Amino acid sequence: MNLETTREYAEHLDRSDLLSGFRDQFSPGEPGLIYLDGNSLGRPSLATLDRIETLVRKEWAEGLIRSWNAGWYEASCRIGARIAGLIGAGEDEVIVADSTSINLFKLAASVLEARPDCDNIITDDLNFPTDLYVFEAALNLSRRAPLKIVSSRDGISGPVEELMQAIDSSTALLSLSHVSFKSSFMYDMESITRFAHKQGAWVLWDLSHSVGAVPINLGDCGVEMAVGCTYKYLNGGPGAPAFLYVRRDLQDDLHNPIPGWFGHNDPFAFDLTCLETKGIRRFLTGTPPIISLSAIESAVEVIEAAGIEEIRRKSIAQTNYLIDLCRKKLFPLGFTLKSPESGARRGSHISLGHPEAFRICRSLIEEKKVLPDFRQPDNIRLGISPLYTSFAELYDAVEHMRAIVADEAYQKYSMERTGVT
Ligand SMILES: *Cc1c(COP(=O)(O)O)cnc(C)c1O
């Protein structure tokens, strides 16, 4: 690909962008800030800010406890059903509850209980660390074999062949991140799931870095389970509860390992023994965080209005454009691409490698009003959220990185890491 490298060309791409109008539906935030972290914490839409205001001032302050019967009690399932539309699931196959980490535990522990003859869980080393910690703990508690972690050869692409070789009849579960948080590599969900099924393994996909950015069809692929964050491309807000999917035919045979009253057949009977309800609701545990749960609904509406296919189309155009600019302007300065070359195998962020990645990030944040993020040991992640990221912002971010390295402006920063990166 050979795209032009002028700012005028970036502006031209913005003018011909069918989704450009959606940017105005988001809170503008600080003027001039280039936000490239939508894959970590999405921006709030204006509708979401209104929703939170109404929720707090009207539903909570005025409605008080009555609001539980005016939409709060059903919110976990109602909003789960909305998310189901983005991931190719049935409306009765998804709930919103707890964090992604906790949902991973619930699902992994329920599989290990349901499949006593299978000894292990397989994953890869591109997965998000919390997933690995949770699986190790679930295996440990049920006194099973240690987690099998298959390594990527280059730290960029998923070890597809090695995973295939590792799966056998003792595998209870294969669990992978659909899109890797570091390199942005995206697995072919359909072929991996089918292969695992042939070996008798169940599959749990972590959709945290793909939902809202990539079309997903769990139903067509026959996937057993999935989880995902709502505060990344779904723009649900910091710590918004996660979603959890279980294929309909499995729901009544699996048990929630943390069976609280919200998963009871009749919570308000205050029965002293736990009678699990049927269906996906049994994976609920306790009272949901209603304020952040409600914010997800209006956030998903914006994505529905834009259309996930259109979002994906723009995301590929933007990652291609960004990589092309980097190749021309940054690679000669020691940057490398740490994401897949092929748009089809990539999510919506790009990772660049540079020996001074950490200090370049500091300089971008402190001096250039560009917010990327840094991932160990030498990755700069540039997240593209097509609903509000413009081509001109990508152009400007690359120009700032070029200038920082060409002028060695990063030299004045210390190498010491503090707080959230
Ligand atoms: C962001 C992310 C998480 C985070 O989990 P929390 O429980 O919300 O902190 C987990 N898994 C993946 C793949 C992620 O990208």
Side-chain angles (χ1 to χ4, degrees):
M1 197 167 330
N2 201 14
L3 304 171
E4 286 180 50
T5 55
T6 60
R7 196 171 196 284
E8 288 69 39
Y9 185 67
E11 290 163 9
H12 157 75
L13 292 173
D14 282 327
R15 279 192 302 274
S16 40
D17 167 21
L18 296 175
L19 293 183
S20 61
F22 280 89
R23 190 176 163 91
D24 296 338
Q25 295 191 23
F26 286 84
S27 170
E30 193 184 318
L33 183 82
I34 299 179
Y35 190 60
L36 298 177
D37 254 336
N39 60 320
S40 194
L41 175 64
R43 276 182 187 275
S45 73
L46 296 171
T48 300
L49 296 180
D50 282 348
R51 179 73 192 98
I52 293 173
E53 171 101 19
T54 307
L55 188 109
V56 175
R57 293 192 185 278
K58 293 249 171 348
E59 296 179 22
W60 177 19
E62 292 173 22
L64 292 167
I65 201 169
R66 293 170 291 189
S67 293
W68 279 108
N69 285 325
W72 289 0
Y73 185 63
E74 287 306 321
S76 298
C77 293
R78 185 180 69 245
I79 299 167
R82 283 308 267 279
I83 292 173
L86 297 177
I87 59 176
E91 292 189 347
D92 56 350
E93 291 179 316
V94 184
I95 49 163
V96 182
D98 307 307
S99 64
T100 297
S101 305
I102 288 174
N103 289 333
L104 283 165
F105 179 79
K106 288 178 174 178
L107 293 181
S110 76
V111 175
L112 292 170
E113 189 204 12
R115 312 200 69 197
D117 300 334
C118 299
D119 212 34
N120 64 49
I121 297 179
I122 297 182
T123 187
D124 69 8
D125 66 350
L126 298 183
N127 207 345
F128 199 84
T130 205
D131 299 46
L132 308 195
Y133 308 159
V134 166
F135 296 147
E136 287 278 17
L139 286 161
N140 233 330
L141 282 168
S142 68
R143 309 200 183 285
R144 308 296 247 280
L147 180 64
K148 269 198 210 172
I149 307 173
V150 178
S151 297
S152 158
R153 276 187 219 164
D154 57 2
I156 296 175
S157 295
V160 175
E161 281 163 35
E162 292 86 344
L163 282 165
M164 304 284 174
Q165 279 157 16
I167 303 171
D168 60 28
S169 59
S170 71
T171 308
L173 190 66
L174 169 70
S175 185
L176 299 165
S177 281
H178 184 209
V179 169
S180 157
F181 79 102
K182 225 191 237 182
S183 75
S184 195
F185 172 80
M186 182 166 75
Y187 276 107
D188 177 346
M189 179 181 285
E190 183 160 12
S191 69
I192 303 263
T193 304
R194 294 215 190 287
F195 184 87
H197 286 172
K198 274 198 206 126
Q199 310 295 312
W202 290 14
V203 185
L204 191 177
W205 287 102
D206 188 329
L207 307 176
S208 295
H209 261 82
S210 54
V211 66
V214 176
I216 296 166
N217 202 325
L218 298 175
D220 278 2
C221 300
V223 172
E224 281 84 3
M225 306 176 146
V227 296
C229 293
T230 60
Y231 51 78
K232 295 174 177 170
Y233 295 108
L234 291 190
N235 307 315
F243 64 88
L244 169 161
Y245 152 93
V246 177
R247 207 174 70 197
R248 188 178 300 112
D249 60 304
L250 301 172
Q251 291 170 2
D252 293 341
D253 295 328
L254 294 171
H255 303 290
N256 182 350
I258 319 176
W261 68 313
F262 267 64
H264 192 280
N265 189 37
D266 184 5
F268 293 93
F270 296 104
D271 207 346
L272 295 189
T273 51
C274 182
L275 178 61
E276 284 172 290
T277 189
K278 295 232 177 280
I280 191 74
R281 284 190 76 103
R282 69 171 51 184
F283 281 94
L284 294 174
T285 297
T287 310
I290 289 293
I291 299 172
S292 50
L293 174 60
S294 305
I296 300 168
E297 199 161 25
S298 46
V300 170
E301 279 165 15
V302 183
I303 294 174
E304 290 172 346
I308 191 72
E309 298 288 345
E310 198 52 35
I311 291 173
R312 174 65 173 158
R313 197 198 48 71
K314 179 172 172 188
S315 160
I316 291 181
Q318 289 192 302
T319 50
N320 279 340
Y321 172 71
L322 180 58
I323 291 173
D324 190 65
L325 273 187
C326 292
R327 210 182 294 291
K328 289 168 183 152
K329 298 187 181 227
L330 299 183
F331 289 8
L333 295 170
F335 287 85
T336 54
L337 181 64
K338 298 268 196 151
S339 293
E341 297 272 351
S342 150
R345 292 272 61 84
R346 209 162 59 212
S348 201
H349 68 280
I350 291 296
S351 276
L352 298 176
H354 192 283
E356 288 293 348
F358 179 68
R359 295 201 291 175
I360 295 168
C361 279
R362 290 256 46 89
S363 180
L364 283 168
I365 296 165
E366 306 287 341
E367 289 169 67
K368 309 289 190 186
K369 292 224 277 187
V370 178
L371 294 188
D373 66 18
F374 168 76
R375 286 292 173 265
Q376 288 281 18
D378 61 354
N379 275 291
I380 301 173
R381 283 196 318 177
L382 306 171
I384 292 175
S385 199
L387 289 175
Y388 52 78
T389 306
S390 69
F391 286 90
E393 285 179 312
L394 299 178
Y395 179 88
D396 291 344
V398 169
E399 272 301 302
H400 285 311
M401 282 191 276
R402 191 193 56 69
I404 288 168
V405 174
D407 307 344
E408 296 191 14
Y410 58 82
Q411 293 277 12
K412 61 170 166 287
Y413 294 95
S414 132
M415 312 265 226
E416 201 184 330
R417 281 194 298 134
T418 49
V420 175
T421 60

